[in-house]
Amino acid sequence: MLKQMNRPVMMADGQGGAPDENCTHDCSTCGADCASRDGGGIQKAKLNEHSSVKKVIGVVSGKGGVGKSMVTALSALAATRHGFKTGIMDADITGPSIPKMFGVHEKAMGSEFGILPAVTPTEIKLMSINLLTENETDPVVWRGPVIAGVVEQFWTEVMWEDLDVLFIDMPPGTGDVPLTVFQSLPVDGIIVVTSPQDLVSMIVAKAVNMANLMNIPVLGLVENMSYITCPDCGRRIEMFGPSQAEAVAAANGIKLLEKLPIDPVLSQEADMGRIEFNEGTQMESILDVLAGIGLE
Ligand code: ADP
C-alpha cells in the first residue's frame, strides 16, 4: 500500500559486496557496488533492493549559483532524449532546485519497500528533499552529518527501479555531503561546473583534487554562463573577458565538455517548471561521457 512520505526516514547502513574476481580496480569502467570502491574501508551504502542503477555521475561546483542544477537537468534531458533511463538525485538538500525546474510539486509516495521517486513526463525519475518536507518553503536546518545521512537514504531507501544513469546534483563545495556521496555511493565520475569568473581561481583545481583523493574520475568540465549572444546582431559577447576554459581544463588534465551561454529562455523555462520542454541540444556532450564509462 502506498502512503505519502513527508519526512526522511531513519538512515540505513549497508556495505557493498566483495569485488568480483576479475576486478581491475578501475571503478570508472565497472558499475558493480562492491567493497573495492570505498578506497579505504569506508562502508558503501546498499542500493535499495528494488533498484538497479548502472552508472552514477556527480555534478559538482565550487560555489552556488553557477548553474550546477541546470547542467544536471540538461544532462539528464540529453541522456533521456537518447534513450537512456535516467534519474536525478537532488543532493543539494539546503538549496534544492531540481523539482521546481521540472514543475514537480507533489509529495513522494512510499510503501514498505521504499520511497517512490517522482516521474516526469519524459520519465526522468527525481528525488529531492522538497518531495519529503511538508511545505516546499520549509527550510532544512539540520547539521551536516544529518543532511549527509538523508542523501545516503536517497540511495538506500528510494526505489529507483531500473536506471541506466543517475545524476547527483551535489551541494556546492567540499563539505559533509560531497564527502558522504563520494565515500558511500558508487560514483563513476564527476562533472565540474564553473562560471567564467571561477576559472581564474582555484575552484576547479580543488574539485579535481578532492575527486583524485577519493579515487573518482573527473569526466569533464562545463563552463556555464560563458557568453551571451547579442539578440540583434548574433555576436557572442564574453562579458568576463576571453574564456579561459580550455586552458584551465588542460592545466587540470580534464576534458572541456561544453561552454554554455547565458540563455534567457533556459532560465524562464526553469522558473516556470518547464525545463523538460526546452528544445535546445545543450549537454549533448554527455553522450561521449556516458560512452566513456561504458554506456552506449
Ligand atoms: P546552482 O545549482 O549552481 O546553484 P542553478 O542551476 O540553480 O545553480 O542556477 C542558478 C540560476 O541561474 C537559476 O535561476 C538558473 O535558472 C539560472 N541559470 C543557470 N544556468 C543558466 C544559463 N546557462 N542561462 C540562463 N540562466 C541560467
Side-chain angles (χ1 to χ4, degrees):
M1 202 189 56
L2 296 180
K3 56 181 190 290
Q4 186 173 309
M5 307 298 297
N6 60 6
R7 66 187 167 81
V9 281
M10 288 299 292
M11 179 174 154
D13 283 330
Q15 187 174 23
D20 184 80
E21 58 184 11
N22 300 320
C23 176
T24 61
H25 300 282
D26 178 4
C27 303
S28 66
T29 59
C30 172
D33 179 21
C34 81
S36 133
R37 277 175 183 258
D38 67 17
I42 288 141
Q43 290 196 345
K44 288 282 163 198
K46 195 168 183 303
L47 183 63
N48 182 280
E49 57 182 311
H50 298 278
S51 301
S52 146
V53 180
K54 287 192 190 134
K55 298 291 171 188
V56 178
I57 296 180
V59 184
V60 311
S61 67
K63 66 174 196 208
V66 299
K68 176 180 49 60
S69 304
M70 181 66 86
V71 169
T72 307
L74 294 173
S75 301
L77 293 179
T80 306
R81 263 198 309 277
H82 289 270
F84 293 105
K85 284 176 265 169
T86 307
I88 302 179
M89 180 198 287
D90 186 357
D92 198 348
I93 303 288
T94 53
S97 45
I98 291 291
K100 181 170 182 276
M101 283 177 146
F102 283 85
V104 169
H105 300 287
E106 72 261 21
K107 296 294 140 205
M109 306 295 283
S111 73
E112 66 264 44
F113 303 114
I115 307 169
L116 289 167
V119 184
T120 72
T122 62
E123 308 218 332
I124 297 175
K125 292 183 176 149
L126 307 181
M127 182 46 65
S128 169
I129 195 71
N130 269 9
L131 307 187
L132 298 171
T133 51
E134 209 152 324
N135 304 300
E136 284 175 341
T137 48
D138 286 348
V140 170
V141 278
W142 302 329
R143 291 192 191 277
V146 178
I147 295 176
V150 171
V151 172
E152 200 171 298
Q153 283 186 277
F154 285 174
W155 181 253
T156 56
E157 309 279 333
V158 172
M159 293 188 283
W160 294 103
E161 294 179 4
D162 183 21
L163 289 186
D164 292 316
V165 56
L166 177 68
F167 291 97
I168 305 185
D169 184 5
M170 306 269 267
T174 50
D176 280 325
V177 176
L179 201 57
T180 297
V181 172
F182 287 158
Q183 287 182 324
S184 56
L185 305 193
V187 178
D188 293 282
I190 59 162
I191 293 174
V192 182
V193 183
T194 62
S195 61
Q197 305 102 302
D198 294 335
L199 282 173
V200 289
S201 71
M202 286 147 325
I203 285 177
V204 174
K206 276 196 176 145
V208 171
N209 289 340
M210 182 173 186
N212 288 343
L213 274 174
M214 304 278 158
N215 278 332
I216 293 179
V218 181
L219 304 172
L221 176 72
V222 176
E223 186 187 57
N224 190 33
M225 309 190 189
S226 180
Y227 59 92
I228 188 154
T229 306
C230 171
D232 297 323
C233 67
R235 194 167 67 88
R236 270 187 188 199
I237 302 165
E238 293 180 305
M239 301 83 64
F240 306 104
S243 169
Q244 311 213 21
E246 282 87 356
V248 171
N252 286 280
I254 54 180
K255 191 173 171 195
L256 177 61
L257 298 178
E258 242 163 268
K259 293 203 254 184
L260 295 173
I262 292 184
D263 178 354
V265 175
L266 267 186
S267 58
Q268 275 161 24
E269 285 175 341
D271 282 350
M272 290 178 346
R274 294 184 54 80
I275 197 70
E276 202 166 8
F277 304 102
N278 181 271
E279 290 178 346
T281 54
Q282 302 91 337
M283 288 313 298
E284 291 271 317
S285 56
I286 200 68
L287 301 177
D288 283 343
V289 169
L290 296 179
I293 55 172
L295 274 187
E296 285 186 82

